[in-house]
Amino acid sequence: MDFDAIFKSQLETLKSEGNYRVFAELERQCGAFPRVARHRADKQDEVTVWCSNDYLGMGHHPDVVEAMVEAVRATGSGAGGTRNISGTNRHHRVLEEELADLHGKEGALLFTSGYVSNWAALSTLGSRIPNAVILSDAGNHASMIEGIRHSRADKVIWKHNDWRDLDRKLKACGDRPKIVAFESVYSMDGDICPMREIVEVAEAHGAMTYLDEVHAVGMYGPRGGGISEERGLAHRIDLIEGTLGKAFGVVGGYVTGSAALCDFIRSFSSGFIFTTALPPAVAAAATTSIQHLKQSDLERCSQRNRVAKVRARLIGAGIPFMDNESHIIPVLIRDPVKCRMISDMLMEDWGIYVQPINYPTVPKGTERLRITPGPLHSDADIDRLVCALSDLWQRCALAHAAA
């Protein structure tokens, strides 16, 4: 059996469909964000990043960097193993206390990524709660889908952000234990869920609520607790999951909830038990970032200002984008080849990096450029982005007309 031939055949199909992923070799330079160094075989140049998930630039905040450096010098570069084998470092405990406080919960539990925290928590809940059924929003992230699948619990899909459909489907589940899994900010369309309605429907049916706040923590609420804090609903949600790798600027994932819930996942989740713990230096940096954003609204206000300015300029230039309430600006291209082409031209001709978002991340026919303005983007950066998009939009429109 020629396995390489199988691999190459499927890769060629991916390339012919325009969905083959090409990674740009970019190196973040501390203190220069959103500028990064682009490495190529023949030269190195500088590009401006417009699609980073380091939404507030906290990955380069001097206090966060110093906390990590200091912890590396004190504890070394790694955790030494799982927390079961190597123990819980003080930095892990302090970070979990900060996270529990952030969401107003009794406890929190750290994981190595937001993907792992979703996968591990949902698979554990679905497999260990007898006769459970998980009701999943149709737009949920792949990590949630994988966790539900791995749990082997019965799954019911409800229409995206449609709390009335959720109500009907919860009613049809009868008296079984029910878990409602949904997100606050959906990262590809940038839409925000009708959280109050979802929570009230779940409460009416005695269902557990599982909320993914990955794209909202640090960004919303007076202390960065997410949409659930902003709307005064955190105390009514059973489990809030988040990441340290986006607005907090580091890496890792977590869940928060009651002390019993966190202990339950800690004790039964293979994704926690058998995975090497986060390095203490990462935990120290994340703690510093969270503490800073709990008391500083400067970064959030600056970021909102940048988002509003980009949107206004795009409207003025006649470039359509998906309207939403969040910080994410999806510019629809609707063609995978053209989406890749525009991304490449932005990089080569304008020194602007916006990664194309193609299938399977988004459905076919909805390919897009996903723009995430940050507080460190200048007015000149915005001018250049809009000028570049206007130029390419016109050129692509003329090419389409000629064809």
Side-chain angles (χ1 to χ4, degrees):
M1 177 68 70
D2 188 347
F3 289 103
D4 272 359
I6 296 172
F7 305 150
K8 290 175 181 177
S9 173
Q10 294 191 33
L11 287 169
E12 285 304 317
T13 300
L14 200 63
K15 290 175 183 178
S16 68
E17 294 172 343
N19 292 320
Y20 182 73
R21 298 169 190 262
V22 179
F23 297 157
E25 188 173 343
L26 304 176
E27 183 174 324
R28 284 159 61 93
Q29 304 167 94
C30 193
F33 191 75
R35 248 50 96 212
V36 300
R38 182 191 181 198
H39 296 282
R40 290 184 280 180
D42 56 338
K43 64 177 180 177
Q44 175 180 320
D45 51 17
E46 186 180 79
V47 300
T48 301
V49 175
W50 277 97
C51 55
S52 176
N53 284 342
D54 187 358
Y55 293 133
L56 300 176
M58 292 301 294
H60 289 207
H61 192 284
D63 292 348
V64 175
V65 173
E66 183 57 32
M68 181 175 284
V69 170
E70 184 180 329
V72 165
R73 290 197 181 107
T75 67
S77 60
T82 67
R83 287 165 70 173
N84 181 56
I85 290 173
S86 294
T88 287
N89 185 278
R90 175 180 60 87
H91 291 296
H92 296 139
R93 177 182 56 77
V94 171
L95 175 53
E96 287 175 341
E97 289 173 355
E98 285 289 344
L99 290 165
D101 172 76
L102 178 66
H103 296 293
K105 301 299 182 187
E106 292 178 340
L109 190 66
L110 288 172
F111 291 86
T112 52
S113 73
Y115 191 104
V116 173
S117 55
N118 265 334
W119 177 88
L122 281 166
S123 64
T124 302
L125 293 169
S127 62
R128 300 291 306 190
I129 297 176
N131 199 33
V133 56
I134 302 178
L135 295 97
S136 178
D137 184 286
N140 278 345
H141 189 263
S143 58
M144 301 175 79
I145 295 168
E146 284 297 319
I148 295 167
R149 180 182 295 135
H150 186 75
S151 77
R152 298 187 179 179
D154 288 341
K155 176 179 69 174
V156 174
I157 306 296
W158 46 287
K159 294 176 185 176
H160 179 52
N161 281 344
D162 188 338
W163 58 269
R164 293 179 179 86
D165 188 50
L166 172 63
D167 185 37
R168 289 189 291 269
K169 288 176 175 173
L170 278 167
K171 193 176 299 182
C173 290
D175 294 331
R176 299 176 62 182
K178 297 172 282 291
I179 303 168
V180 175
F182 61 108
E183 300 181 39
S184 57
V185 178
Y186 288 85
S187 64
M188 289 301 113
D189 289 355
D191 54 332
I192 297 177
C193 75
M195 191 176 293
R196 184 173 299 278
E197 291 84 350
I198 292 171
V199 169
E200 289 176 352
V201 164
E203 288 174 344
H205 292 277
M208 176 182 177
T209 40
Y210 183 112
L211 172 64
D212 177 319
E213 284 264 41
V214 159
H215 290 274
V217 291
M219 302 292 291
Y220 301 90
R223 300 195 311 155
I227 300 296
S228 56
E229 181 191 33
E230 182 180 75
R231 299 186 178 178
L233 294 167
H235 66 291
R236 296 171 64 181
I237 296 169
D238 296 296
L239 185 152
I240 298 176
E241 183 267 352
T243 185
L244 307 172
K246 293 184 170 59
F248 294 130
V250 194
V251 68
Y254 64 88
V255 296
T256 64
S258 69
L261 171 59
C262 292
D263 196 21
F264 178 80
I265 295 172
R266 181 191 71 87
S267 299
F268 292 109
S269 171
S270 62
F272 175 83
I273 294 169
F274 299 109
T275 300
T276 297
L278 283 175
V282 169
T287 299
T288 299
S289 182
I290 293 165
Q291 289 173 340
H292 176 85
L293 290 173
K294 280 181 177 179
Q295 54 82 34
S296 172
D297 205 33
L298 175 64
E299 292 80 7
R300 286 186 285 272
C301 289
S302 298
Q303 197 268 348
R304 287 194 290 270
N305 172 275
R306 301 290 81 188
V307 171
K309 183 153 191 173
V310 171
R311 283 185 169 142
R313 292 295 308 280
L314 290 175
I315 291 170
I319 297 172
F321 58 90
M322 298 177 70
D323 194 21
N324 58 55
E325 301 174 74
S326 78
H327 57 283
I328 296 166
I329 305 176
V331 175
L332 284 176
I333 308 299
R334 300 187 184 279
D335 178 89
V337 175
K338 187 178 289 186
C339 196
R340 174 84 260 174
M341 178 186 70
I342 291 175
S343 174
D344 289 344
M345 293 169 76
L346 284 169
M347 180 84 90
E348 297 300 330
D349 300 343
W350 294 87
I352 290 171
Y353 178 60
V354 185
Q355 177 69 5
I357 306 294
N358 290 346
Y359 177 85
T361 306
V362 295
K364 292 180 180 180
T366 69
E367 293 81 8
R368 67 200 62 183
L369 300 175
R370 177 181 173 272
I371 298 171
T372 54
L376 300 176
H377 286 110
S378 67
D379 287 349
D381 291 333
I382 295 173
D383 291 342
R384 187 168 179 80
L385 172 69
V386 175
C387 182
L389 287 172
S390 298
D391 176 69
L392 295 178
W393 208 261
Q394 184 179 31
R395 287 159 64 182
C396 289
L398 289 173
H400 181 74

